[in-house]
Amino acid sequence: MIIGIAGPYSAPTAEQRQKNLDALNKTAALLLKAGHVPLIGVNATLPVIAKSDLPVNYSGIMDISLAVINACDALFLIAESPGANKERDLILSKGLPVYYSLDEIPKP
């Protein structure tokens, strides 16, 4: 199953943003090990923003993140944030599951 991973990314410091990104990627690694295909919207966004002449802004990050999450079969929500909640709401609007614990995710 392709599972998007959502949680906080934005934070006032680069150190906290990195901690948030690490938490998303650690969760993705667990899902990959369990046999799923994990996707994280911000992982697709950050390299694009870094190579563009555009300022990093919330709307640009969310546009790409939501497009990535839209391709998923489910979402794993590690913690709420404004962006993570938008990703959750997108998945729920499609009638797809949102998981809050690794134990809830069906085995492949």
Side-chain angles (χ1 to χ4, degrees), residues 22-108:
D22 289 346
L24 292 165
N25 284 301
K26 286 176 185 176
T27 301
L30 293 172
L31 289 173
L32 182 64
K33 189 175 180 179
H36 297 286
V37 176
L39 291 179
I40 301 169
V42 75
N43 279 351
T45 302
L46 294 177
V48 174
I49 297 291
K51 296 297 181 191
S52 76
D53 293 335
L54 301 171
V56 176
N57 67 51
Y58 180 76
S59 125
I61 289 173
M62 285 311 304
D63 289 347
I64 295 172
S65 291
L66 289 169
V68 168
I69 296 304
N70 193 45
C72 296
D73 303 314
L75 186 81
F76 182 81
L77 184 64
I78 62 172
E80 290 192 10
S81 72
N85 291 348
K86 286 181 181 184
E87 293 170 330
R88 177 202 60 211
D89 293 347
L90 172 63
I91 289 294
L92 289 174
S93 76
K94 295 172 67 174
L96 297 171
V98 174
Y99 302 111
Y100 300 90
S101 160
L102 292 171
D103 294 334
E104 297 175 348
I105 300 172
K107 305 287 183 223

